[in-house]
Amino acid sequence: MKFIRLYSVAVTLSVSMSPAALASSLTDIGYPALQAELGTRTPTGVGVRVSQVEAPSNDTSGGAAPIFMPNPGDTEFSGKVITPMGGNPSGSFSDHATGVGRLFYGNTSSIAPGTAQIDVYEANTWITSLSNLSGTATTSPSRIINHSWIGAPDTPSETGQILRLVDRQVHSKESIHVVGLANGPADSPLLGSAYNVISVGRTDGGHQRNTISVTGDSLYEPVRTAPLLVAPESTTSNATPVVSAAAALLVQTGHEGGAGLSQGSTTITGIGTVYNAERSETIKATLMAGADRDTSNSGNSANIADYRGAGHETPNGLDDRYGAGQVNILNSYHILAGGEQPSLQLGGDDIGRFGFDYGALERSGVNQTSASYFFNATSDATTLFASLAWNLDVSNDTQLTAQLSNLDLALFDVTSDRLVASSNSLLDNTENVFFKLLVGNRYEIRVTGYSPIDAVTDYALAWRMDLSPSPVPVPPTVWLFGSGLAGIAALARRHRSQQRGDARMIQESR
């Protein structure tokens, strides 16, 4: 496989921040509050191996070796093992890579200072590392890969192939790819158009919105929602490692929590045991459900004040400017620490205020299937934040056959017998609900799958319930649900089996 001329664009990045600016940035994403709550138990990213992928900071068109390494002599990297995965001229370092590294794993400038093993790739080298000679996915020990770069291959065919390789890597190897979008509307983000990545923008909204259509590619041609998250930084190159560092804290929490947080795990050669709390879908859903939809930042970044305002609603329940909102590590930690809580259909009880589930919708024949999560609203002004995420399935062979399941997320008011909120995009692989609950009422969060015959769709559902005075506007159409909810209330009491119905799928072979 040969990739011809991958154009990468490195934006200008400040490699130093004043202590006051850094403190403000960390406060805005909830880190000091997490430290105050956990003290010495605060996760640091220790034990989590990561990768940093960089565009070359020099002109390589004449055959010069790319410069892509952060400066290992920087005091922020003291005690860390930073390994170049490819040729980098001796003594030559990238200011961009150094700045990104500081925010990703720096000793004082990152929320993940315990991250100590970092593999660094030049973008082209990293792309070619995704497939071996037999056409199957390669295994890297890195759990989190930061991409503060953008680019575009020569042809749509090459673009589609790269996107499939990235989506396969996430699905097959449980690697978590955090991808920065372009700083503006004109550039192509490339990896931001992959389904299984976590796309990142800026809280001020100054970034590429939505994915780039790949002309003639039935899978990647439809435009989907992006970014999924934002961070309070002035460039997407800065915002991306902030989210990557938050992911590192969550992966450490999920892994060290083991069976205490998770009800299942998998083993991946070259990586080891991956618990449900640290899977790619779980981390993605947890970061999204934990994000702030309304902010009061102390730094210089703009704030989110009109989340999902008129004209900015997306079919999957997000805002087309801010995605799920601004990353908040305190909220996301609470969700993961709430532990895995299975659906009613799998024997679960009422869910708690914080939590997640890594579940599966399994069919035999052409059927609809669903998973139900019940709870009671016990406090005034409680707002539900729920995010559902699942991966595009890409075959681990040279065919790169892709299959995208269609899942919906809905919130039912059982007491009033009505549907009150729903997210049902036909194109995205996340669904999200953000809704102010009524005290004393009983609710059901329902995941419904419409997928291929004899297929199993794995998903992660994450939720939190916050005391929030902010009302959440509800589209009038969600009140049209009829009396069928009474049967669901009975299901909650009797633990009946799953409902079934029609199925549909998007399947594409390449």
Side-chain angles (χ1 to χ4, degrees):
M1 177 171 46
K2 181 180 180 182
F3 295 102
I4 304 173
R5 292 191 304 168
L6 176 66
Y7 295 100
S8 300
V9 180
V11 301
T12 301
L13 178 73
S14 172
V15 295
S16 63
M17 298 179 69
S18 70
L22 178 60
S24 294
S25 178
L26 298 181
T27 298
D28 294 340
I29 63 171
Y31 185 59
L34 181 66
Q35 289 179 305
E37 181 176 307
L38 298 181
T40 58
R41 296 183 294 110
T42 304
T44 64
V46 66
V48 180
R49 189 158 180 170
V50 304
S51 289
Q52 178 179 347
V53 182
E54 288 284 328
S57 60
N58 61 322
D59 183 1
T60 62
S61 60
I67 299 173
F68 59 91
M69 281 290 290
N71 185 353
D74 192 295
T75 55
E76 284 294 308
F77 307 145
S78 177
K80 302 182 187 297
V81 178
I82 304 177
T83 306
M85 307 302 288
N88 185 87
S90 178
S92 299
F93 307 110
S94 164
D95 286 346
H96 184 276
T98 299
V100 170
R102 286 182 171 189
L103 293 171
F104 189 4
Y105 47 81
N107 289 325
T108 64
S109 51
S110 170
I111 67 172
T115 303
Q117 288 188 292
I118 305 99
D119 295 335
V120 185
Y121 293 82
E122 185 270 332
N124 288 285
T125 302
W126 176 77
I127 290 171
T128 58
S129 75
L130 296 180
S131 182
N132 56 32
L133 293 177
S134 65
T136 58
T138 55
T139 299
S140 164
S142 293
R143 291 300 318 284
I144 300 164
I145 299 88
N146 185 88
H147 299 273
S148 290
W149 62 279
I150 60 174
D154 282 345
T155 68
S157 177
E158 289 174 351
T159 300
Q161 187 174 18
I162 292 171
L163 293 174
R164 285 168 176 79
L165 290 172
V166 173
D167 280 333
R168 182 178 70 176
Q169 205 74 10
V170 178
H171 179 69
S172 300
K173 304 300 182 181
E174 293 293 351
S175 57
I176 299 160
H177 293 260
V178 185
V179 175
L181 298 178
N183 288 284
D187 297 316
S188 169
L190 180 59
L191 297 190
S193 294
Y195 282 89
N196 298 343
V197 303
I198 301 172
S199 55
V200 179
R202 299 155 27 187
T203 301
D204 65 8
H207 49 250
Q208 171 74 45
R209 296 179 191 173
N210 301 322
T211 62
I212 294 296
S213 174
V214 181
T215 304
D217 188 312
S218 60
L219 183 63
Y220 294 99
E221 188 166 31
V223 176
R224 289 164 284 114
T225 302
L228 296 181
L229 291 166
V230 296
E233 298 290 341
S234 59
T235 67
T236 56
S237 278
N238 284 14
T240 305
V242 171
V243 176
S244 292
L249 267 58
L250 296 178
V251 169
Q252 178 195 346
T253 300
H255 189 74
E256 292 183 349
L261 291 182
S262 301
Q263 298 194 0
S265 64
T266 189
T267 300
I268 300 176
T269 301
I271 297 175
T273 300
V274 176
Y275 293 97
N276 289 352
E278 56 174 319
R279 289 180 181 269
S280 59
E281 301 99 320
T282 304
I283 300 300
K284 187 176 189 176
T286 298
L287 285 168
M288 293 178 70
D292 288 327
R293 271 68 166 178
D294 183 81
T295 66
S296 298
N297 291 325
S298 55
N300 295 324
S301 179
N303 283 298
I304 301 174
D306 61 338
Y307 188 81
R308 295 205 77 202
H312 293 290
E313 308 92 339
T314 68
N316 64 332
L318 301 180
D319 186 293
D320 67 353
R321 300 159 295 178
Y322 313 116
Q326 181 173 290
V327 61
N328 185 302
I329 188 57
L330 176 67
N331 293 338
S332 292
Y333 176 84
H334 284 163
I335 291 170
L336 210 63
E340 187 170 6
Q341 302 168 45
S343 66
L344 171 73
Q345 286 81 357
L346 294 181
D349 297 320
D350 279 14
I351 60 174
R353 182 180 166 193
F354 301 96
F356 73 93
D357 185 32
Y358 179 76
L361 299 179
E362 184 171 2
R363 289 146 302 280
S364 179
V366 184
N367 295 307
Q368 167 188 310
T369 188
S370 61
S372 303
Y373 302 83
F374 286 86
F375 65 95
N376 296 316
T378 57
S379 300
D380 289 328
T382 299
T383 300
L384 171 70
F385 301 76
S387 291
L388 175 70
W390 66 101
N391 283 335
L392 171 75
D393 185 345
V394 182
S395 63
N396 195 12
D397 53 32
T398 57
Q399 298 302 309
L400 295 177
T401 303
Q403 180 174 279
L404 179 64
S405 297
N406 178 27
L407 275 61
D408 289 346
L409 183 64
L411 177 67
F412 296 95
D413 184 329
V414 178
T415 301
S416 301
D417 188 20
R418 60 188 176 185
L419 169 69
V420 293
S422 63
S423 176
N424 50 13
S425 171
L426 294 173
L427 301 176
D428 298 279
N429 60 327
T430 76
E431 303 285 5
N432 305 270
V433 166
F434 172 47
F435 188 79
K436 184 176 179 180
L437 306 171
L438 298 176
V439 63
N441 282 19
R442 184 163 178 79
Y443 290 90
E444 177 203 1
I445 302 172
R446 189 188 302 173
V447 178
T448 304
Y450 309 86
S451 289
I453 298 173
D454 298 323
V456 177
T457 299
D458 298 333
Y459 67 85
L461 175 68
W463 63 85
R464 81 180 207 261
M465 301 175 204
D466 278 2
L467 296 180
S468 171
S470 302
V472 180
V474 183
T477 53
V478 304
W479 301 99
L480 300 180
F481 183 73
S483 60
L485 189 58
I488 299 301
L491 172 66
R493 293 189 294 270
R494 298 194 298 269
H495 283 213
R496 287 185 351 207
S497 62
Q498 321 167 334
Q499 295 183 335
R500 301 188 179 275
D502 293 334
R504 61 183 184 267
M505 68 173 177
I506 300 174
Q507 185 169 3
E508 184 271 355
S509 177
R510 180 178 176 83

